[in-house]
Amino acid sequence: MWRALTRLFAMTAIFLAVSFTSVGAQSSEDPDYGDWRRTAVRATEAIDNNRASEAAMDSLRNQLIDWRNAFSEDSSRTRISVSTLEAQLDRLGPVPEGGEAEDVAEERLQLQLQLSEALAPVRRAELAQTEAEELIRSIDSLLRDRQAERLLTPGPFPLSPALWWPALDQVLETFKLVALEFQTGWVHEKQRNELRDTLPIMLFYLAISIMLLTRGTRWIDNLLTSMVWRRERLSAVRWVFVFALSYGQVVLPMLGVFAFSKAVYASDLPGFRGDVILAILPIMTFELLTARWLGERIFSRRSQPLLQVNLSEVEKRKGRRASVSLGAVLALSTLFVELVRYENWSEGTEAVIFFVLSVAAAYFLRRLGQLVIRHAKTMRVEPDGPLSAIGQLISMLGRYTMIVTVVVAVLAVLGLTRGASYLVFSSTRTVFLVAFLLVLQRLIQKIFSALNRRDDDEGTLGAVLAGLMLFVMSLPIFALCWGAQISSLKLAWQKLLEGLKIGDLVLSPQTIFLLIAVYAVGHGVTRLSQSFLRDNILPKTKLDPGGQTAVVSGAGYVGIFLAALVALTVAGINLSNIALFAGALSVGIGFGLQNIVSNFVSGIILLIERPVSEGDWIEVGGQMGYVRDISVRSTRIETFDRTDVVVPNSDLVSGTVTNYTHGNTVGRVIVPVGVAYGTDTRVVERILMEIANAHPMVLANPGPSVVFQGFGADALEFEIRAILRDVNWVLTAKSDLNHEIARRFVEEGIEIPFAQRDIWLRNPEVLQGGAASEQNQPVAKASTESAVHTPPDLEDLDAAEADGDGAGEGDGR
């Protein structure tokens, strides 16, 4: 189990490959149910007795998994014939009320008999598969209970001096036995003769191993120095290349370790314990090299680091040392966990070993946590603002490590060394995995920048989505870091592949992926067709721009609908299965979405009937402006003060809309004007007609007209009514006509009057003194902008009313 936990780099690929292999494995033989019954009985007895070792339980569990897969395969293979027979019966349909022909009835009976025979093995396989799954679940529960009991059961006190020397003796004895195995193999004459035959191969692998282990890392460092560190700035493409090249610091030494293992195995000298160490050696090397590589990437010593960390050089040096030390302790823990499974060490020896390893790991993990928290405090959106999202994540990770180190120390002192070891090394692997994901996220950002031919570090939406997908794919690895078994993850993956069944509808990852892929293709074809219509076909027709827009939009809606329909069909989703969702959706539309649906339908009506087109000058709901965009829900109008007004489409369909430019741009302008009483009206009419005919925007047919509207309170009222060739220029034309009217009236001596009003003050003697009257009268004049006077013929009437009403009363009119 621990061996699988440490494969941090390639674990996802291995996990998916194993999962797909197990899912796709096929067997042409039918399962032997007699042999299965004996296996099931043995598994039941082992679970009930609970005395078998973990290795025996793992072996039994793997057998049950093989049986379950065989039953699943047999059930799937037999179900094909069942589906065929069911389809034939459906084709025959129900039995008519009046009976059916004899040959049809006989055919129906034969199909029903065949269906019953075909269903028998399917049900038998399904029952056996269910029994196997329950046994597997019981074994998993038993193993989890054992592990929890082992982790939570206190052992010998690790600080007792009486345990240290015996523990050291047992560990040294194990390594002496390893050396003795090699020595025994060398002394044996037969093996010595075989060694002479394999000596060239052994020397070849050994030479490669020594070269890669001693020179590989130095080669990569020298190459990076010559390619990168002498440049002032790294482009995104070069950054990606250098990053990939830097991982050679892990790959080359790993190849050297594999070559060393090949050389030792070629000698045929290692015994049982030596084989255990050689098998675990690549994993230990990977853990150590990955920790060192992450330390170099995060706490880089270069002047131009691949990852920017806001720490001093001294702090970076401490970070690199803590990372390498933590990786070394992690590798030693992997070795001793493997040796504990095969060596007959005492509980005191195990307690001492895991106490030392846990305390050392907690110490170095705490040092890393302090540096991580210090760096996270500088990751702010603004100098005095809150932490960024990544900064919060890193800060949480650092605080988690600080808490873990305290808990581990307490558990180790209390004698719970296995629990402390499990917590600290699982947390260490989690921290390294999170650091590795952050480094890969940085790499993804640079890859997208290189694809977009940019050198900045601004993250794009594609980079964010790729990082999110990377995190989701790493979830099984997080589970492995905390003790999950690969077989359990394979079972979960198989359940995920089978999908979620809702009635007759099955939603699986394959179905969802196929649905998205087909829809994406259909959506792309739709957009391409719209562009072809807009740019190549419609401009050659006689359709106006509004009609062309309507055709393009309609083609888009039809294409998207067909793409969704084809995607559902290709994915194998029966449209009748989603009737329940459609019914629920219709209820939601009827209550909460009726306005949205109304606007959507109104948008379609606007695009088909086209009472309003883009570029039209309209007035609706008191808003006047040009139509700039018609969407399925609303229409955007740009007013004359350059503001956008979004109008729901239902208002344009059900309300009153004035369209000034629909069909053509011809429109009428009305210019009112007043002249003083006593002016010759015919002269005024002639002048206004000359002014209207002289304007270039006024049409000659139909020609302009001058209307004498009537006798106003202050002037004789006239109007110029003219048809303009482009109503969009109505304000400009009206302004030009007013300027010309003012000029001609001045030349002809025609007066344009303004309003005058007389104010009559009743009982002016009641005002406070003559000075107050004199002060108030100018105010009245200023407020009305007209002469204030008391007519002579009203003075006597004013005095009479004053006598009748009494002093101090009065009103203004």
Side-chain angles (χ1 to χ4, degrees), residues 273-291:
R273 294 174 179 82
D275 184 70
V276 172
I277 295 176
L278 287 176
I280 205 70
L281 184 60
I283 300 176
M284 297 170 55
T285 307
F286 178 76
E287 290 175 337
L288 177 60
L289 293 176
T290 301

Side-chain angles (χ1 to χ4, degrees), residues 85-371:
L85 294 172
E86 289 177 346
Q88 290 176 333
L89 286 173
D90 291 339
R91 185 66 176 174
L92 289 177
V95 179
E97 295 181 359
E100 57 186 358
E102 183 178 353
D103 56 343
V104 177
E106 183 178 357
E107 180 67 22
R108 186 188 300 275
L109 180 60
Q110 292 294 329
L111 289 175
Q112 290 175 348
L113 291 175
Q114 294 176 13
L115 180 60
S116 299
E117 295 176 356
L119 284 174
V122 172
R123 290 171 179 154
R124 185 180 184 185
E126 289 178 348
L127 289 175
Q129 181 182 354
T130 303
E131 184 180 6
E133 290 179 352
E134 289 299 324
L135 291 174
I136 294 171
R137 191 176 294 108
S138 299
I139 292 178
D140 290 339
S141 177
L142 187 147
L143 293 177
R144 284 195 298 268
D145 292 341
R146 285 186 180 182
Q147 184 182 15
E149 183 180 0
R150 185 171 60 254
L151 294 178
L152 299 178
T153 301
F157 186 62
L159 296 179
S160 176
L163 298 177
W164 286 72
W165 285 113
L168 181 60
D169 290 338
Q170 288 187 357
V171 172
L172 293 178
E173 183 66 23
T174 297
F175 288 102
K176 288 179 182 179
L177 292 175
V178 173
L180 183 60
E181 290 175 352
F182 278 89
Q183 184 179 357
T184 303
W186 176 258
V187 172
H188 198 278
E189 182 178 358
K190 181 180 178 180
Q191 290 187 351
R192 191 165 58 248
N193 293 332
E194 292 178 354
L195 180 61
R196 294 192 186 97
D197 297 334
T198 59
L199 185 61
I201 299 177
M202 183 186 69
L203 293 178
F204 173 74
Y205 282 120
L206 190 60
I208 294 178
S209 173
I210 294 174
M211 181 176 59
L212 292 177
L213 289 175
T214 58
R215 306 290 297 179
T217 303
R218 187 177 301 177
W219 290 342
I220 298 297
D221 287 339
N222 294 336
L223 190 57
L224 292 176
T225 301
S226 61
M227 294 184 59
V228 178
W229 313 126
R230 297 176 182 177
R231 295 178 176 269
E232 295 182 358
R233 182 176 179 82
L234 289 176
S235 63
V237 176
R238 183 174 290 272
W239 193 100
V240 173
F241 178 75
V242 169
F243 185 91
L245 182 63
S246 68
Y247 200 71
Q249 296 174 343
V250 176
V251 174
L252 293 184
M254 282 294 299
L255 294 177
V257 171
F258 282 118
F260 176 76
S261 300
K262 284 284 187 180
V264 177
Y265 278 124
S267 67
D268 202 18
L269 294 178
F272 174 74
R273 294 174 179 82
D275 184 70
V276 172
I277 295 176
L278 287 176
I280 205 70
L281 184 60
I283 300 176
M284 297 170 55
T285 307
F286 178 76
E287 290 175 337
L288 177 60
L289 293 176
T290 301
R292 178 180 180 274
W293 181 79
L294 288 173
E296 289 289 341
R297 300 288 73 77
I298 297 175
F299 306 103
S300 178
R301 69 186 70 192
R302 308 292 183 179
S303 58
Q304 296 185 25
L306 297 182
L307 289 177
Q308 187 67 40
V309 178
N310 301 320
L311 296 174
S312 64
E313 293 300 326
V314 176
E315 291 172 333
K316 290 181 180 179
R317 190 182 307 113
K318 292 180 180 179
R320 291 192 298 269
R321 292 176 180 174
S323 180
V324 174
S325 302
L326 189 58
V329 176
L330 182 62
L332 288 176
S333 72
T334 303
L335 173 62
F336 282 104
V337 165
E338 196 69 18
L339 290 178
V340 166
R341 299 178 60 185
Y342 299 100
E343 292 296 326
N344 190 21
W345 288 346
S346 64
E347 293 185 359
T349 300
E350 294 183 20
V352 171
I353 291 174
F354 290 112
F355 172 79
V356 173
L357 294 175
S358 301
V359 172
Y363 172 73
F364 295 117
L365 189 62
R366 182 178 182 82
R367 296 185 64 180
L368 280 179
Q370 292 173 346
L371 295 175

